Every structure is written in C-alpha cells, then in structure tokens.
C-alpha cells in the first residue's frame, strides 16, 4: 500500500541524519516541473516554497524536479525571483533551520517567467521556458503540474488556456506518461451553482484523475491519523456510534483577525472560508464508515456518503440550528485589537460573519440522533483546531456528585489537529486518600491520557503543503477532493448562505475579540444540555 495513509518516505531528523522512516515505501517523487501561477503572491511565499524547501532538505524531490514561477511582474528575472524567495524562506515560520546549501540546490532548479496567466499570449513564453528547463530529460519524464495559486476569479481563463495551449492534454489513462496535472486551491466555487459550473468546465477539458482540488487541512498529520486511529484500533470502533457517543464538537479557532484580507473576507465570510471545506471534511472523516481499502476512491466514496447523509438545513431549522456573529474590539494576548467593521476594506455596516456555529445531524444507522456541533471564528481565545468526541455519561452515578463536589464528567476523546498535534482521552479516577467504606463518599476526579506527536516521535509533523505537494508528484489523490465531494459539501452549505443573505440580522450579534464566541453559540448547544469545550 502506498500513499499518505501508508506513510511517505520521510527524513529522519535524529542526530541530523537523513533516512527512511521504518515501514514507509522507498518511493521518491516522479521527475517533473511544477508551474506556479501567482508566483509573487502570498501563498507561494508563505506555503509553497517553504514546503518545496523542506522536500529538498529531506531529499524527496527527484533530481530532475524544477519550478517555473509565473507572475505578472515582467521585470522580474530568475535571479531576482530567487532572491525574493530566499529572503522569504529565511523569515518563514515553516522553515525552522534555514540551510544555504539546501536552498542553493533548490534555487538552481527555480526559474521565472513574466506574464498575465489570464492572457493566451503568455502561454507561448511558458512553453518556451518549459522546453529549456526540460531539454535534458527523456520525453516520458517531461511530467508537469500546474498550481493555481491565484484568486478564484481567474481559475476559469487559466484552465481554458492550459487546455487550448496543449500544456495539459486530457489523459484518460492515469498511468500515461508524461503526465500533466492541475492543482486548484480552495474555494472551489462561490456557491453550489458556481461549483457545478467550474466542475463541468474542468472535467470537459481534463480527466478527474488530473485535477487535484486542495484542502490543506487534509494534509495535516492529525487529520490523516483520524482514519488510522479509528480503523487500526479495535478498542474504539465498537463504541463509535449513537449507542455510546453523546455528541461531537468540531472547532477551528483562530486568534488572528482578517488582517489584510478584508476585501476577500467580505465576499467569503467564515462559512465559505471554513465550513464548506475544512470543517465538513473533518466531520466526514469522523463519521465515515470503514472504506473497503485505503485507496483514494474508496476513502472518498465513504466521505461522500457521509456528506449526502447530513440533514439539510431549511428555513425552518436554520434559526435554531445556526449562529453567526462578528468580532468586536477586545484583547488578544494582552494587546488591544480592533473590531471587524474597523478593519481595512471592510464595510462599516458589514453583516459578514467572522464566527459561525451550527448543529448538524448525520441521518444514517450509525449516527442517527447524534448532534455534530461545528464552530469556527476569527479573533477567538486561542488558535486551535480539534475534534472532540463526547461519550454518554454513565447511566447510574454511584460515585462523586456529592455536596461540595463537582459532578462526574463524561469521557471525552479529543483529536488535536493544530497546534500541539495529538490525541487525549479523559476519564474518571478515585482521588488517593484514606480508605473509606464504599457506602460513604468516594472522591472522584477527571484525568487525561495524552499523546503528542512531538513527544512520541521526537519531531514535529510535516507541514500540510509538504505532504500535499509530494502527493501530487507521486499521483496519490486520497487527500484531495473529488468533484462529487465538492458539490455534496456545497449542497449542505448553500441553503444556509442563501437564508442568511435574505435575512439580515438587526443588530448583528458580536463577541469580544479574545473570547470564545457570542452568547448565542453557548445557548445553541445548551439547548441540548451540553456545553462547548474550552480547548
């Protein structure tokens, strides 16, 4: 078995030596050229090149790998672009220890082409540069993938030009060489209709196996581990159902505000930005049935079944099942911060939500009646993403809960996606003390059994984009979204967006920056006798 669920070739950082992780396939990326559209943008600088640098440092790039960066700046040259990227890597949070020798090896394979990717004339220059870069390779080794690190508004013209120029011919056979692939960033569409139109366009020009729709959350180590944790450990799977689980909480909280992305955020909001992709993916992985095999289509088939089983939100259920709010001025890490409406490029009377919470139900045999509470927001109390599975409380309480003592807490299994990636399980134990008769009060307290990747393996998890880029190079699609998966997620979210657009709140609910969201979110979950976790 190959692919991310089997484990990639990873560099061992013990004693500074590089090697292969035990049990991982001895597999290196195919020889290929990565073409980045939007090469001078933020994503390229903050995520893509740090990931490529790490892959180079871990010797996971093929010797014939190269990067052709395409940007609008015509005056940029190979050398000036390389220096721009070098400075970005030195300052990057994702590159822990910048090594000049590693960078020189990557820089020698990094090139630049100036041009407007939405203009057909730019593709002749791209072709010429690719011929120059690949001239020493055999014909079958001239593999290419085109990464659209650009705003969604230019996806369509780039896709059309890649097809009409012949740079990405349609290949029905996934094993055909040389291969050509297209990587598309989220959001994939702005609504269900636009997602369907974009899918129809893309699939009229390319085969499904050529299209890699990225959701970077799926590249995170802990997200991948959800399936391994569930299906490789028999102690949990028999309990993973409505008979034993009270509810599930999925949280994706950010300390930061919208920063310099006010214009984008006004169009997107928290639901398009987080729910339609990241959070529904976490829900699907948590709720899915065991796939027949750990292959891309088998895993994605089961995720689609979950998405199609989620009870649709209706105009009648939305007011009692969802909450929206904006952050107001507050304090983050002892620093005063402004409210959302005072951010640059945000309307003074904006009703765009920066926080949302929702209650979903998965209407199938396993999960009938189990609520999935999902929340996400900007300017919350802590940066954290987690899946918390709360089990039913004991049916009869023989211990604890006496006068002056806290009631027993239900067991909770928490899978931390970020930061401090790991898994914890809470359970109740007797507090040590003098022996007492069992008919008298026994003091009980909750404790946690905790696993972290850093402590267990002596290294931090690989950044998500490092995993995802390597998957594109080896043709592994498990961690990428399929067209029907994208549309199934939009079918869940679209009714909510339409209802909110037609029913403007007056006034808009708010929450203080640095808090855990509005009171309305607490009331949503309290109506079911539960409460949000404070991570």
């Amino acid at each position: 078995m190959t692919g991310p669920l089997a484990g990639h070739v990873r560099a061992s950082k013990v004693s500074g030596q590089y090697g292969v992780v035990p049990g991982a396939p001895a597999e290196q990326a195919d020889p290929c050229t990565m073409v980045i559209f939007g090469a001078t943008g933020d994503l390229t600088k903050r995520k893509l090149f740090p990931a490529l640098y790490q892959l180079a440092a871990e010797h996971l790039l093929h010797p014939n790998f190269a990067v052709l960066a395409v940007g609008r700046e015509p005056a940029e040259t190979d050398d000036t672009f390389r220096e721009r990227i070098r400075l970005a890597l030195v300052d990057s949070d994702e590159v822990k220890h910048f090594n000049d020798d590693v960078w020189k090896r990557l820089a020698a394979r990094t090139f630049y082409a100036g041009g407007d990717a939405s203009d057909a004339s730019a593709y002749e220059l791209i072709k010429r540069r690719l011929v120059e870069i690949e001239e020493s390779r055999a014909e079958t080794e001239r593999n290419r993938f085109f990464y659209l690190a650009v705003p969604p508004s230019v996806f369509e013209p780039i896709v059309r030009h890649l097809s009409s120029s012949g740079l990405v011919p349609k290949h029905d056979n996934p094993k055909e060489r040389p291969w050509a692939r297209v990587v598309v960033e989220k959001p994939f569409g702005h609504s269900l209709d636009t997602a369907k139109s974009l899918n129809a366009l893309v699939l009229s020009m390319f085969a499904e196996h050529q299209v890699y729709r990225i959701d970077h959350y799926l590249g995170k180590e802990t997200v991948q581990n959800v399936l391994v944790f569930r299906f490789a450990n028999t102690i949990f799977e028999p309990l993973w159902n409505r008979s034993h689980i009270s509810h599930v909480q999925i949280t994706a909280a950010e300390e930061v505000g919208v920063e310099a992305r006010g214009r984008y955020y006004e169009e997107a909001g928290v639901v398009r930005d987080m729910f339609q992709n990241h959070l529904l993916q976490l829900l699907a992985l948590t709720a899915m049935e065991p796939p027949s095999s750990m292959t891309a289509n088998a895993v994605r088939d089961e995720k689609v079944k979950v998405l199609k089983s989620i009870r649709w939100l209706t105009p009648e259920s939305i007011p009692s099942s969802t909450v929206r709010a904006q952050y107001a001025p507050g304090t983050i890490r002892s620093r005063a911060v402004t409210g959302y409406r005072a951010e640059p490029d945000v309307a003074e009377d904006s009703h765009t939500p920066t926080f949302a919470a929702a209650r979903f139900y998965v209407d199938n045999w396993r999960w009938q009646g189990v609520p999935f509470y999902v929340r996400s927001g900007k300017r919350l109390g802590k940066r954290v993403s987690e899946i918390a599975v709360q089990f039913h409380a004991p049916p009869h309480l023989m211990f604890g809960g006496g006068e002056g003592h806290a009631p027993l807490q239900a067991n909770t299994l928490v899978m931390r996606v970020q930061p401090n990636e790991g898994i914890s399980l809470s359970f109740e134990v007797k507090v040590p003390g003098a022996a007492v008769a069992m008919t008298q009060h026994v003091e009980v307290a909750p404790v946690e059994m905790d696993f972290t990747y850093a402590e267990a393996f002596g290294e931090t998890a690989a950044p998500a984009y490092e995993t995802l880029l390597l998957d594109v190079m080896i043709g592994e699609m498990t961690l990428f979204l399929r067209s029907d998966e994208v549309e199934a997620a939009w079918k869940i979210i679209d009714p909510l967006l339409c209802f909110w657009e037609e029913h403007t709140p007056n006034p808009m609910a708010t929450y203080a920056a640095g808090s855990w969201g509005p009171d309305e979110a607490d009331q949503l979950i309290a109506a079911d006798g539960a409460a949000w976790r404070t991570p």
Side-chain angles (χ1 to χ4, degrees), residues 430-436 443:
K430 178 186 177 297
V431 176
V436 295
E443 190 171 356

Side-chain angles (χ1 to χ4, degrees), residues 223-448:
V223 174
Q224 299 172 58
N225 195 46
V226 171
L227 296 186
V228 176
F229 177 80
R230 285 188 56 195
F231 303 132
N233 299 289
T234 57
I235 61 173
F236 291 108
E237 186 56 25
L239 309 179
W240 214 258
N241 55 59
R242 67 186 187 278
S243 298
H244 300 280
I245 292 175
S246 165
H247 68 269
V248 178
Q249 295 182 27
I250 301 176
T251 297
E254 298 179 278
E255 284 186 345
V256 298
V258 295
E259 298 177 303
R261 300 197 307 157
R263 185 173 289 107
Y264 160 76
Y265 210 82
E266 279 286 87
E267 294 182 4
V270 66
V271 173
R272 286 189 178 92
D273 192 44
M274 295 296 293
F275 276 63
Q276 186 274 331
N277 36 70
H278 303 331
L279 294 179
L280 285 181
Q281 284 295 312
L282 295 182
L283 191 159
L285 288 169
T286 304
M288 65 184 277
E289 295 297 319
S292 59
S293 63
M294 284 301 179
T295 58
N297 277 331
V299 172
R300 294 189 292 185
D301 284 345
E302 296 303 332
K303 287 198 293 175
V304 169
K305 289 179 186 177
V306 173
L307 295 174
K308 289 183 175 180
S309 297
I310 292 177
R311 188 183 305 172
W312 284 14
L313 295 169
T314 65
E316 293 74 28
S317 66
I318 286 173
S320 61
S321 300
T322 65
V323 169
R324 55 177 159 172
Q326 287 178 346
Y327 62 82
T331 303
I332 299 285
R333 296 181 182 268
S334 303
R335 179 175 61 90
V337 295
T338 189
Y340 176 69
R341 292 185 178 182
E343 299 279 16
D345 300 318
V346 172
E348 293 181 1
D349 60 349
S350 171
H351 288 92
T352 301
T354 62
F355 174 96
R359 180 199 301 110
F360 293 113
Y361 288 98
V362 179
D363 288 335
N364 62 17
W365 186 271
R366 182 187 290 261
W367 296 109
Q368 187 67 40
V370 178
F372 285 74
Y373 301 104
V374 179
R375 63 174 171 168
S376 181
K378 298 280 191 183
R379 290 290 189 214
L380 294 179
K382 183 180 182 181
R383 173 180 172 265
V384 62
S385 295
E386 67 173 31
I387 303 165
V389 179
Q390 183 164 314
F391 294 88
H392 287 301
H396 175 60
L397 298 181
M398 299 171 288
F399 313 109
E403 185 176 348
H405 296 274
L408 291 178
Q409 297 183 16
N411 304 126
T412 304
L413 176 70
V414 180
M415 293 171 277
R416 296 186 302 273
V417 176
Q418 66 178 14
N420 192 30
E421 294 87 349
I423 300 171
S424 66
L425 176 65
S426 69
F427 51 91
E428 301 289 321
V429 299
K430 178 186 177 297
V431 176
V436 295
M438 291 304 290
T439 55
Q440 299 178 18
H441 177 72
V442 176
E443 190 171 356
V444 177
V447 296
E448 283 195 357

